[in-house]
Amino acid sequence: MTELELRVLRVARDIGDGATNEQIAHCLGTRATDAITNTLRTLQSNGHLRLEVTSPELVHVAEIMPKGYRTLSACNY
């Protein structure tokens, strides 16, 4: 798992279900929502979370899978 994937997963976990790509980008201090969206899609493909696509620009984290919690450490973002 890449550093970006870990950071995105940590922030999504902290925000909770319903976190959007825009909220996650804001928490990470970036405006690169496309990069965050692509990372979220990768995390979904790897079974770490489930997404709901509201529009091409807005993606919600519908659920973080238990597998996603095991990969996280107690590090800061």
Side-chain angles (χ1 to χ4, degrees), residues 5-20 23-24 27-28 40 43 49 51 61 64 69 72 77:
E5 289 169 348
L6 282 171
R7 292 176 68 205
V8 167
L9 193 55
R10 284 185 196 121
V11 171
R13 181 199 61 186
D14 288 349
I15 294 172
D17 294 345
T20 67
Q23 289 173 316
I24 294 168
C27 288
L28 292 174
L40 287 168
L43 290 168
L49 48 82
L51 298 176
V61 175
I64 298 175
Y69 286 101
L72 300 176
Y77 308 133

Side-chain angles (χ1 to χ4, degrees), residues 4 14 18 21 25 36 38-39 41-42 44 53 70-71 74 77:
L4 180 59
D14 288 349
N21 55 334
I36 301 301
N38 291 338
T39 302
R41 288 188 173 133
T42 299
Q44 177 175 252
V53 179
R70 289 196 301 269
T71 62
Y77 308 133

